[in-house]
Amino acid sequence: MKLWKTILAAAVLALAAGSQAFAARTDLVIGITLEPPHLDPTAGAAAAIDEVLYANVFEGLTRIGPNGEVLPDLAESWAISDDGKVYTFKLHTGVKFHDGTDFDASDVKFSLDRARADNSVNAQKALFAAIDTVDVVDPATVKVTLKNPQGSFLYNMGWGDAVIVAPESADTNKEKPIGTGPFKFQSWAKGSSITLVKSDTYWGAPVSLDKAEFRIVPDAAAAVPALLSGDIQAFPFFDPDSVAQVKDDPRFKVVIGSTEGETILAINNKKQPFDKLEVRQAIAFALDRKAIIDGASAGLGVPIGSHMSPASKAYVDLTGLYPHNVDKAKELLKQAGFENGFKATLKLPPPSYARLGGEIIASQLRDVGIDLEIIPVEWAQWLDQVFTKKDYDLTIVSHTEPNDIDIYSRKDYYFNYDNPAFDKIIAELNLTSDDAKRNTLLGEAQKILADDAVVGFLYELPKVGVWDAKLQGLWENAPIQANDLTKVKWTD
Amino acid sequence: MTAYLLKRLAIAIATLILASMVVFAVLEILPGDPARLMLGLNASAEQVELLRNQMGLNAPLVLRYLHWVGGLLSLDFGRSYTYSVPVIDLVRERMAVSLPLALIALALSTIIAIPVGLYSASRRGRAGDTIAMGAAQLGVAVPNFWFALMLIYLFAVWLRLVPAGGFPGWGAGVWPALKSLLLPAVALALPQAAILARVARSALIEVLNEDYIRTARAKGLPYRAVLWRHALRNAMIPVLTILGLQFAFLLAGTIIIENVFYLPGLGRLVFQAITQRDLVVVESIVMLLVVAVIAVNLVVDVSYAIVDPRLRGRQ
């Protein structure tokens, strides 16, 4: 009898424990490859900063949604004057920063003025270049006057670099970020992990997760066992080459989406012989995009024919303009006076898409008579030699900033490309806010770049995410580099 | 002994001064601008210049060198460009991982290597010796990261006894922290143990051929006692030399293992700092390591004198 009682008690206890386990989890460990250098999105270009903090800890007037759309954030709504120069933002009320101070229009003015000040080291200062004045109308209304109409202004305000910070905490955000988001910063074990916890004072819809830890796993070989052992439950940016190891495992979901990373074979347009259109066209004909995608990105990634993400509404498919054609390439080289080909260098930064892609491209160009010497460089060297000093012939890099076709109109940019017709379109684009008109202009811009074969357009970098099959709400695509956890929850 | 140590100390200081110059000069020659790295592709040249000024990168070379060395002397290692916190804090955090890891690995390697070396030496040429030395050969040949991955799959993925990687910090408790250092320590220790065992074996074999061993045996001392009391002590000098080298390596040379187990150790900090051109961090840590290596060598020298009384009287 006594034995029965014990067994019964044990069973009840086990049942109780079991039902406990059925309650959905509220904690999550996310693996990221690079550690942020600091935690202030307004003071650095490193994508890792936004990957931890964007939409989670910090919020802007607007924000970018999962598919690249502009959504209201701290600004509940806005009105645009007829001349397109005055934006009046109506702000949410009752919003508090994580340190308990109130958010109001003066914080917006402070943040925008700080970002565009002369001594500002905001990495995307150009986002704020069009702003003339920022005025506080009342605590819940702020008026931004532009020097000229700017079509992308609301989008620009959604960048991580344009988030709203408080004057009380702006200077210490690098170490202890204070924002208005649904998660607040808890701790940062340098080199190891960053932990966020749910904010109890959040103004918007409460989040499902109580705790989110971003753990830094630099090595792709370590990511797989970390997933398999359950230590880490999600890698939103996973190494494409390691996908094969987890793709058939029902415990995990492998999600392949798009990014804003146009991967290109950049060409120094002012350097001989690349100043000749025929030579650049010959390179375009010599490239076999499929072979490059297979070899450099495990077959994942969408071919591009110009500088625009295929996920964008403005995208025009120009991949058919220069199909892979070795004879055509040779003929063009002959026309340009390089019947016997020539020698050039190819500088490759560290990412595997560049190092692997570089070898394939070198062999493809060798087939048409262009003999490339491969020079591997570190990022620091790449920035110094290629990007700043323009001391290069060819290089491979992915331009991950969203909607960045205007880089081809920048004076002194490392492509050394100069086309007044293209510049005119970009200038017009900057003044246009009508979406349909913008898309037409963007289409024309894409066509000019493709016609001029400014660079070798390769493919859009894929976003490969792997996470626990019970996890919901992580972004499929990466319209900006972020890990928005506001809609993430466990299902059972 | 005192004169000997003083001389060693003078040499150590000269080495440090020379090392500081070399370290500083080499990093200055390295191409790459930390300000550009921080601001990325979209920042203008003027903005990069502004940040360079704020970071003090535009001051003359000699001035910056003197400033840095002056800081080192007053134990102020400067501030990291990227993390913008004092370098000393970064080092302290990383040492909390690297130092225990190095010590555990060193202890493991000694515990494994010395008995194996003794066993092999005493059964020289027989099956046991061949097997042990074959295993040691394998231990030297197998890359430690591969070995680490096998350990992870066995103990973390399959048996789920330990985490696959990461470090919870000592704040999470001694046992969880130790648990996460176990596999990396084993992965680090085995190749080191293999080398150490081979060195111990050959040193012991040499000693076992000495006359005094025969004398000891002849006066009736049991073989085991001869081995432990006479042979091992005399074979310690080459073993200590290797141990000293291994400890210096384990402190900073564990970058691969730190990556496989994503441990926030010193090696990874240096590596990250180099790629981000966080020059202050690289310079200061390299100097600290130079100090550490010199200190370890000094300790080894002193321990020679302890194991071998004959060295005590020498200059």
Side-chain angles (χ1 to χ4, degrees):
Chain A
M1 195 59 197
K2 208 175 168 194
L3 181 71
W4 278 112
K5 261 189 189 158
T6 318
I7 290 175
L8 202 69
V12 168
L13 268 175
L15 216 67
S19 62
Q20 279 269 303
F22 279 125
R25 283 178 75 164
T26 55
D27 64 314
L28 175 63
V29 183
I30 301 152
I32 54 176
T33 320
L34 290 174
E35 178 170 36
H38 57 75
L39 303 178
D40 183 356
T42 67
I49 303 174
D50 283 344
E51 281 177 24
V52 175
L53 301 162
Y54 185 80
N56 299 329
V57 172
F58 286 106
E59 298 177 305
L61 285 174
T62 62
R63 54 162 300 175
I64 313 299
N67 295 308
E69 68 277 28
V70 178
L71 301 172
D73 205 8
L74 284 171
E76 172 184 274
S77 62
W78 49 80
I80 308 170
S81 67
D82 290 340
D83 63 357
K85 289 211 291 200
V86 183
Y87 285 71
T88 310
F89 293 95
K90 188 94 194 100
L91 307 175
H92 280 286
T93 50
V95 178
K96 276 190 188 307
F97 283 98
H98 299 142
D99 61 354
T101 56
D102 288 317
F103 157 86
D104 64 28
S106 63
D107 295 307
V108 176
K109 179 174 167 57
F110 169 77
S111 300
L112 297 185
D113 285 349
R114 173 174 173 263
R116 63 201 185 91
D118 286 340
N119 63 354
S120 152
V121 287
N122 192 301
Q124 311 290 347
K125 213 171 165 181
L127 294 177
F128 312 93
I131 298 178
D132 188 24
T133 57
V134 183
D135 299 302
V136 175
V137 178
D138 63 56
T141 316
V142 72
K143 191 174 82 178
V144 180
T145 311
L146 304 183
K147 292 170 191 152
N148 46 263
Q150 189 186 36
S152 55
F153 181 66
L154 289 173
Y155 187 90
N156 290 355
M157 291 302 103
W159 279 57
D161 306 81
V163 294
I164 304 304
V165 296
E168 295 87 353
S169 47
D171 291 336
T172 50
N173 277 343
K174 280 186 172 177
E175 277 297 295
K176 193 178 181 309
I178 300 285
T180 56
F183 290 95
K184 62 182 178 192
F185 167 77
Q186 188 185 46
S187 62
W188 179 10
K190 293 218 172 61
S192 188
S193 71
I194 298 166
T195 308
L196 310 179
V197 290
K198 187 178 186 167
S199 161
D200 298 323
T201 57
Y202 186 54
W203 57 273
V207 288
S208 304
L209 294 177
D210 285 332
K211 187 175 159 191
E213 182 187 337
F214 291 87
R215 209 171 281 172
I216 298 130
V217 184
D219 197 302
V224 177
L227 269 174
L228 293 177
S229 67
D231 287 358
I232 294 175
Q233 297 101 44
F235 279 92
F237 297 91
F238 198 70
D239 171 38
D241 288 325
S242 304
V243 166
Q245 285 173 269
V246 289
K247 112 175 157 245
D248 296 323
D249 194 324
R251 287 175 295 169
F252 304 107
K253 236 188 304 197
V254 176
V255 180
I256 293 158
S258 63
T259 67
E260 287 287 330
E262 289 82 25
T263 311
I264 57 170
L265 172 70
I267 301 174
N268 193 342
N269 276 249
K270 278 220 173 79
K271 196 158 178 191
Q272 280 175 341
F274 304 105
D275 53 342
K276 285 203 168 78
L277 177 64
E278 290 88 352
V279 171
R280 298 198 304 268
Q281 284 175 329
I283 291 174
F285 276 119
L287 295 173
D288 178 359
R289 294 191 185 95
K290 185 168 181 322
I292 297 166
I293 296 171
D294 284 349
S297 248
L300 308 169
V302 185
I304 53 171
S306 188
H307 200 90
M308 183 64 67
S309 163
S312 166
K313 288 201 174 64
Y315 175 73
V316 181
D317 186 356
L318 294 161
T319 48
L321 195 60
Y322 303 105
H324 178 51
N325 188 334
V326 174
D327 295 333
K328 236 356 189 317
K330 281 185 178 159
E331 198 186 305
L332 279 160
L333 279 182
K334 199 169 154 190
Q335 277 176 34
F338 294 100
E339 214 177 330
N340 301 319
F342 60 86
K343 278 187 172 35
T345 61
L346 173 62
K347 288 191 173 167
L348 300 176
S352 65
Y353 66 75
R355 292 279 163 92
L356 297 174
E359 289 178 22
I360 298 165
I361 287 173
S363 98
Q364 290 175 358
L365 292 192
R366 199 174 302 123
D367 289 343
V368 303
I370 303 173
D371 193 11
L372 292 183
E373 182 199 346
I374 291 181
I375 306 174
V377 292
E378 284 179 88
W379 269 126
Q381 285 174 299
W382 187 90
L383 283 170
D384 187 53
Q385 299 172 3
V386 178
F387 190 77
T388 309
K389 296 190 180 127
K390 301 173 201 73
D391 173 21
Y392 78 107
D393 296 336
L394 300 170
T395 185
I396 298 174
V397 74
S398 198
H399 280 262
T400 51
E401 277 81 14
N403 298 328
D404 57 351
I405 197 168
D406 65 295
I407 55 178
Y408 292 83
S409 72
R410 278 188 207 167
K411 294 291 152 249
D412 225 24
Y413 206 64
Y414 78 109
F415 305 137
N416 270 331
Y417 174 63
D418 188 12
N419 181 346
F422 182 81
D423 296 350
K424 222 182 110 206
I425 292 179
I426 296 298
E428 204 183 331
L429 183 73
N430 283 340
L431 301 179
T432 313
S433 41
D434 178 61
D435 272 344
K437 231 187 208 163
R438 282 180 66 84
N439 289 349
T440 317
L441 288 168
L442 284 169
E444 283 172 45
Q446 289 170 60
K447 240 188 129 319
I448 293 179
L449 295 183
D451 284 339
D452 278 351
V454 182
V455 299
F457 297 104
L458 304 176
Y459 64 98
E460 199 71 13
L461 216 58
K463 174 188 183 291
V464 180
V466 178
W467 49 77
D468 195 299
K470 294 197 202 93
L471 205 58
Q472 266 183 2
L474 279 161
W475 282 13
E476 179 184 334
N477 300 319
I480 48 168
Q481 295 226 321
N483 292 311
D484 175 1
L485 301 178
T486 53
K487 301 273 190 295
V488 174
K489 62 172 184 214
W490 287 95
T491 57
D492 252 316
Chain B
M1 181 95 173
T2 322
Y4 172 71
L5 280 184
L6 277 178
K7 198 173 146 197
R8 293 280 322 178
L9 211 63
I11 294 173
I13 289 170
T15 315
L16 279 177
I17 294 173
L18 207 68
S20 76
M21 287 179 179
V22 173
V23 167
F24 193 82
V26 165
L27 285 170
E28 284 304 319
I29 295 166
L30 214 61
D33 179 355
R36 170 55 80 182
L37 270 165
M38 283 167 80
L39 290 176
L41 301 189
N42 264 358
S44 66
E46 295 80 54
Q47 247 187 299
V48 173
E49 205 47 37
L50 191 72
L51 186 62
R52 282 185 64 88
N53 275 329
Q54 290 185 6
M55 290 161 76
L57 283 169
N58 283 338
L61 195 67
V62 178
L63 218 66
R64 276 190 293 139
Y65 173 74
L66 291 177
H67 183 77
W68 174 61
V69 171
L72 287 184
L73 289 178
S74 55
L75 287 181
D76 170 12
F77 295 89
R79 285 179 92 82
S80 156
Y81 294 154
T82 42
Y83 283 128
S84 50
V85 292
V87 176
I88 193 73
D89 290 353
L90 287 175
V91 172
R92 204 179 295 132
E93 281 168 16
R94 301 304 173 107
M95 272 300 194
V97 181
S98 286
L99 201 60
L101 180 62
L103 288 173
I104 298 172
L106 200 69
L108 274 177
S109 130
T110 318
I111 293 169
I112 300 168
I114 301 297
V116 170
L118 270 172
Y119 173 81
S120 269
S122 61
R123 331 201 91 223
R124 184 180 174 194
R126 285 194 265 169
D129 176 33
T130 314
I131 292 170
M133 282 305 109
Q137 189 68 48
L138 203 68
V140 177
V142 170
N144 61 2
F145 64 85
W146 181 85
F147 194 68
L149 280 172
M150 293 305 113
L151 287 175
I152 293 174
Y153 277 101
L154 181 60
F155 290 103
V157 175
W158 197 49
L159 296 173
R160 299 213 172 189
L161 290 174
V162 287
F167 184 69
W170 292 102
V174 175
W175 176 234
L178 271 182
K179 219 162 89 172
S180 65
L181 293 182
L182 263 180
L183 286 192
V186 171
L188 281 172
L190 284 181
Q192 308 284 344
I195 298 170
L196 204 59
R198 292 173 63 86
V199 171
R201 174 183 178 268
S202 46
L204 276 163
I205 285 173
E206 206 170 298
V207 172
L208 285 173
N209 287 333
E210 296 281 344
D211 290 340
Y212 59 80
I213 298 290
R214 204 179 315 135
T215 312
R217 286 285 288 152
K219 75 173 184 187
L221 216 57
Y223 186 66
R224 201 166 284 266
V226 172
L227 208 58
W228 283 97
R229 208 182 306 155
H230 294 277
L232 186 60
R233 186 160 184 173
N234 278 295
M236 272 319 267
I237 292 223
V239 171
L240 279 173
T241 311
I242 298 290
L243 267 180
L245 290 174
Q246 291 191 340
F247 185 65
F249 162 80
L250 286 171
L251 263 187
T254 58
I255 165 83
I256 295 172
I257 287 297
E258 282 174 18
N259 256 338
V260 173
F261 289 96
Y262 43 105
L263 291 173
L266 208 55
R268 234 176 82 203
L269 178 65
V270 178
F271 181 74
Q272 205 175 329
I274 292 172
T275 55
Q276 291 174 341
R277 291 295 182 274
D278 198 342
L279 301 181
V280 185
V281 172
V282 185
E283 287 160 357
S284 300
I285 294 180
V286 172
M287 276 316 286
L288 274 178
L289 289 174
V290 172
V291 173
V293 169
I294 289 175
V296 167
N297 279 343
L298 219 59
V299 170
V300 170
D301 279 344
V302 173
S303 56
Y304 285 166
I306 294 170
V307 276
D308 190 347
R310 285 168 303 178
L311 284 174
R312 277 173 218 169
R314 258 195 227 164
Q315 274 292 301

